């Protein structure tokens, strides 16, 4: 696959990248993330800034510098989020938009439109939940069946259930921008939980997993 630079060329490498994403606050729709490699080295963090009119999250690199700012667009029907480079929220710095592919969904599906795709007639990437119970997902290139990344939600153990943390393992295919993929996994988690709060998504199953983990 040709190199897919969305955020920055430094986040594209010729081999596959395996990420571990740990999220705090299992019961909350919005959590902070620590994102590392398989050796435990921190690569990114996702933090929520203080109170404001808009829901916003910032992806920071290991030095604490902002890589991306994710902001929910208010008063939309498809849970639309806009993603900007660095710490900006200016329209000129918008890199891509993420939204639910339809109003009613049994499993969460997201469409991703790059900044230059003004018409949004065809998505540039899409994220599809593959297992309602396990909360796994796959990222595809456009409307094709070409997989660029896969995410697996780790089952809860006694330790994770008691610690209040949630974990995801992510495999990013070669030459795919892994900062971009990390942001999609974060937004998939947030939007999936928003749907769960409306009785659409998977939190009932998530609660069952937490209880089950206490006895493992």
């Amino acid at each position: 696959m040709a190199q897919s630079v969305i955020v920055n060329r430094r986040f594209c490498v010729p081999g596959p990248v395996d990420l571990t994403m740990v999220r705090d606050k299992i019961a909350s729709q919005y959590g902070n993330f620590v994102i590392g490699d398989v050796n435990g080295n921190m690569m990114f963090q996702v933090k929520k800034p203080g109170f404001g009119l808009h829901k916003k999250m910032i992806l920071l690199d290991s030095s604490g510098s902002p890589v991306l700012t994710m902001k929910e667009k208010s008063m939309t029907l498809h849970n639309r989020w806009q993603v900007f480079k660095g710490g900006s929220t200016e329209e000129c710095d918008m890199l891509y938009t993420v939204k639910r592919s339809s109003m009613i969904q049994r499993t969460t599906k997201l469409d991703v439109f790059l900044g230059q795709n003004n018409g949004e007639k065809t998505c540039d990437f899409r994220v599809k939940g593959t297992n309602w119970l396990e909360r796994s997902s796959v990222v595809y290139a456009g409307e094709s069946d070409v997989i660029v990344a896969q995410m697996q939600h780790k089952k809860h153990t006694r330790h994770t259930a008691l610690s209040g943390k949630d974990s995801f393992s992510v495999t990013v295919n070669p030459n795919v921008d892994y900062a971009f993929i990390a942001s999609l996994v974060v937004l998939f988690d947030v939007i999936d939980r928003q749907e769960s709060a409306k009785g659409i998504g998977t939190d009932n199953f998530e609660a069952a997993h937490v209880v089950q983990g206490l006895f493992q």
Side-chain angles (χ1 to χ4, degrees):
M1 181 176 178
Q3 197 173 67
S4 298
V5 180
I6 310 297
V7 180
N8 192 291
R9 192 172 301 277
R10 67 186 169 116
F11 301 125
C12 295
V13 295
V17 175
D18 292 316
L19 303 175
T20 296
M21 303 179 61
V22 180
R23 175 194 190 280
D24 66 5
K25 299 180 182 176
I26 287 176
S28 172
Q29 288 183 27
Y30 297 89
N32 296 320
F33 281 84
V34 175
I35 303 168
D37 62 18
V38 292
N39 298 315
N41 300 309
M42 190 184 75
M43 301 170 72
F44 302 107
Q45 294 184 79
V46 177
K47 296 290 187 181
K48 296 176 296 181
F51 294 103
L53 295 176
H54 301 283
K55 296 184 176 74
K56 188 164 67 171
M57 298 178 290
I58 300 175
L59 180 76
L60 307 169
D61 65 17
S62 57
S63 69
S65 299
V67 175
L68 294 171
T69 297
M70 298 167 273
K71 187 179 77 169
E72 186 176 34
K73 194 173 176 65
S74 59
M75 305 298 290
T76 63
L77 298 176
H78 289 80
N79 297 95
R80 181 182 290 266
W81 285 75
Q82 295 174 308
V83 184
F84 305 84
K85 62 183 177 182
S88 175
T89 55
E90 299 294 327
E91 286 296 322
C92 61
D93 292 320
M94 192 182 77
L95 296 175
Y96 47 96
T97 295
V98 180
K99 69 180 187 70
R100 282 189 296 146
S101 59
S102 62
M103 290 284 293
I104 300 175
Q105 303 181 119
R106 182 168 176 80
T107 56
T108 301
K109 299 175 186 177
L110 307 179
D111 290 338
V112 183
F113 302 95
L114 299 182
Q116 65 270 24
N117 187 351
N118 297 318
E120 297 189 355
K121 296 195 179 296
T122 304
C123 64
D124 297 287
F125 295 87
R126 58 193 172 94
V127 187
K128 181 180 179 182
T130 58
N131 189 309
W132 194 33
L133 178 60
E134 298 295 340
R135 295 182 63 209
S136 56
S137 64
V138 176
V139 183
Y140 296 93
E143 300 289 350
S144 75
D145 293 326
V146 176
I147 295 174
V148 297
Q150 298 182 73
M151 182 272 282
Q152 182 69 46
H153 179 248
K154 294 182 179 179
K155 291 184 178 179
H156 288 294
T157 63
R158 183 192 300 270
H159 174 71
T160 59
L162 293 174
S163 69
K165 295 185 182 297
D166 228 353
S167 297
F168 307 84
S169 59
V170 182
T171 299
V172 184
N173 284 3
N175 298 311
V176 176
D177 192 318
Y178 58 83
F180 169 64
I181 297 298
S183 73
L184 295 187
V185 174
V186 170
L187 292 175
F188 178 89
D189 179 65
V190 169
I191 293 171
D192 185 64
R193 288 171 180 273
Q194 288 176 330
E195 293 192 346
S196 298
K198 301 171 187 174
I200 303 170
T202 58
D203 267 7
N204 289 335
F205 292 105
E206 181 68 15
H209 281 164
V210 172
V211 173
Q212 183 184 39
L214 290 171
F215 297 97
Q216 293 179 342

